Amino acid sequence: MLALVVDLAGKAMVYPLREDVLEVRAGSLPENAICLPFKGVSRRHFVLCRSGKGWILRDLGSTNGVLLNGERVQEAPIREGDRIQAGAALLRVRAAPRDASHLSLPQTPPLTPDGYCTDEVGNLRIQEEASLFAFPRLVFPEGMVVGRSPAMFEVYQKLDALARAEVNVLLEGETGTGKELLARTLHLSSSRAMGPFVAVNCPAVPSELAEAEFFGIGDRVATGVAKRKGFLAQADGGTLFLDEVGAFPAALQAKVLRVIEEKTVIPVGESAAERLDFRLIAATNLDPRELIRRGQLREDLFHRLAGVEILVPPLRKRKEDLLPCLMAMLQRFSREEGKPLEWISKHLLARLAGYEYPGNVRELANLARSMVALAHPGEMLDVHLLPEKMARAADERGASSEARLEEGPIRLREELDGLARRLVTRALELSPDNMAAAARRLGLTPFGLRKMMKRLGSTSGNPPGVDGG
């Protein structure tokens, strides 16, 4: 069996070409079996079609074309050892690993443009999805779920490139996006992995004790005070992680800047400097430039912290990661609780897909834990296990129309047509070159979609760039 390997510093995502699969599509959109979020890759770039015992590579009308072993092709057979170039993405054809026969390409329940499952009937088995890709330089902390969305793929690319570097890193992202787990990933993937990982929650450090906590304190500086190392010295030989650096005491910022520059520290009450060797990773849930403007963060300290800036996307902007994260969490928490749970309803998944998750992955974890705690052993997880705030948020989708209904009569047909028009428009935006795909998103046939578009007055035929294939 063959497999495609997307290069990331030598190795990366492994996609097995299973014998029971007839075609595999690739492009920059997440709906493709092989998602390539690289510069120059078209939304639907190429397809691999099974032909007898082999595979045929076919260009799908991509903007930049497909190169096979350096030559542009429209259609050609592939074999082990070939190189496929799509934009900036390089894929190598290799023999699949021996343990890849059970793997399948990522499958996600179909979502409407608003994020709801198109098929809310039935249920899914609760099981962790097999990871189809590997970042050879990255070692992930135990329990971390590796996302597969293009947004997170870009984050992992940067981490992979920085794994063996010594440059300071600033992780920016909303609360609960998993910045500390990414910092631990960098630590575990570095040459400092055997050294300490010292995580400091800056807002939790009392201002009156901050200097001693960070720099340490000498012996007998005060009555009853024993000599102890500060956070900086504790991280010697390893990694220092400063979480929510925007709350770092302003009075200490100049001193910490000097420590970062000189890699020496003088404990409180002592005169001799100690040499230190640590890598610094910081995180903030606020825009650091806004912190500078407010005077909460020194600009020179920011430039020292932000050798490389990595923006961690919120969960609402990477809904492709919702299902694999949820499944892994449910599996883990049900094991911890000793409570067997096998099924989750698609109706519940539809509600979960439509929620915005202001608390991000941390909120999803709390939700999964609460559902496991409330469920009876063997029970199928369903919407009755949702917290009230989530059920209320989902119900608010139709609240504006309901509120107007209380104020006076509304035109139901116009309300429904308006909703239908927005859904049709969004479906066509998501599938601009394929009327059939847009129709499938809406649960219609291409003929039915054209008929609806004509009734809604959207257009009397295909919109520009849309065909019936």
Side-chain angles (χ1 to χ4, degrees), residues 381-392:
L381 302 184
D382 210 340
V383 292
H384 68 280
L385 296 171
L386 283 177
E388 184 179 346
K389 67 172 183 177
M390 288 195 66
R392 187 167 59 246

Side-chain angles (χ1 to χ4, degrees), residues 268-466:
V268 175
E270 295 193 356
S271 57
E274 299 177 11
R275 294 292 303 174
L276 298 179
D277 176 28
F278 61 82
R279 184 184 192 179
L280 182 61
I281 303 174
T284 176
N285 64 351
L286 300 173
D287 183 348
R289 291 155 190 84
E290 178 63 19
L291 292 172
I292 293 171
R293 190 187 68 78
R294 295 180 193 170
Q296 294 175 244
L297 181 66
R298 290 175 60 111
E299 187 169 3
D300 50 2
L301 178 58
F302 162 71
H303 290 303
R304 282 293 180 182
L305 296 175
V308 175
E309 293 180 75
I310 298 179
L311 183 62
V312 185
L315 186 56
R316 65 180 176 276
K317 291 188 177 179
R318 51 184 183 101
K319 286 292 182 70
E320 306 95 320
D321 292 333
L322 178 63
L323 186 63
C325 284
L326 177 66
M327 290 297 194
M329 290 170 181
L330 292 174
Q331 283 252 308
R332 184 168 79 248
F333 297 147
S334 62
R335 283 196 301 266
E336 291 176 0
E337 294 283 339
K339 184 182 292 185
L341 297 169
E342 291 190 54
W343 300 97
I344 183 170
S345 77
K346 292 184 180 179
H347 189 198
L348 173 57
L349 290 175
R351 289 295 189 97
L352 297 177
Y355 185 60
E356 290 297 303
Y357 297 95
N360 293 292
V361 178
R362 183 181 297 136
E363 183 177 7
L364 180 64
N366 291 338
L367 169 66
R369 191 181 290 277
S370 71
M371 289 196 298
V372 170
L374 292 171
H376 297 291
E379 178 183 2
M380 182 177 73
L381 302 184
D382 210 340
V383 292
H384 68 280
L385 296 171
L386 283 177
E388 184 179 346
K389 67 172 183 177
M390 288 195 66
R392 187 167 59 246
D395 292 339
E396 284 174 359
R397 287 177 166 265
S400 59
S401 296
E402 293 174 11
R404 298 208 321 273
L405 184 62
E406 294 175 4
E407 296 170 2
I410 64 171
R411 295 180 180 273
L412 180 60
R413 182 62 178 267
E414 290 182 6
E415 292 287 332
L416 295 176
D417 283 355
L419 174 61
R421 191 174 288 108
R422 289 193 297 274
L423 291 175
V424 167
T425 300
R426 185 61 178 145
L428 292 172
E429 288 174 352
L430 292 171
S431 302
D433 303 318
N434 194 320
M435 176 71 80
R440 283 195 299 272
R441 289 180 180 274
L442 297 165
L444 300 171
T445 64
F447 174 78
L449 177 55
R450 290 192 186 92
K451 187 176 179 180
M452 176 174 284
M453 291 166 62
K454 186 173 182 179
R455 185 181 69 77
L456 295 173
S458 302
T459 177
S460 58
N462 287 350
V466 175

Side-chain angles (χ1 to χ4, degrees), residues 47-121:
V47 63
L48 292 168
C49 302
R50 177 166 291 284
S51 175
K53 294 185 177 180
W55 290 86
I56 301 292
L57 169 67
R58 185 176 301 138
D59 190 348
L60 290 176
S62 61
T63 302
N64 298 311
V66 180
L67 302 181
L68 181 63
N69 300 322
E71 298 290 333
R72 184 162 182 166
V73 297
Q74 289 297 321
E75 184 174 311
I78 63 169
R79 55 186 58 86
E80 186 177 349
D82 283 346
R83 293 174 291 110
I84 301 172
Q85 183 87 33
L90 176 64
L91 303 91
R92 299 182 184 274
V93 183
R94 294 285 184 263
R98 264 189 260 173
D99 59 350
S101 59
H102 68 288
L103 297 180
S104 58
L105 292 169
Q107 296 295 323
T108 303
L111 303 178
T112 68
D114 288 329
Y116 282 87
C117 293
T118 55
D119 178 11
E120 296 187 16
V121 179

Side-chain angles (χ1 to χ4, degrees), residues 222-270:
T223 304
V225 175
K227 181 176 181 177
R228 70 174 186 274
K229 290 183 177 181
F231 296 136
L232 297 166
Q234 291 173 30
D236 189 33
T239 302
L240 176 66
F241 175 58
L242 299 180
D243 197 11
E244 304 308 344
V245 72
F248 197 90
L252 291 184
Q253 291 189 19
K255 290 185 177 181
V256 168
L257 175 62
R258 185 167 182 173
V259 171
I260 296 172
E261 290 175 339
E262 299 180 0
K263 289 296 177 72
T264 61
V265 64
I266 302 176
V268 175
E270 295 193 356

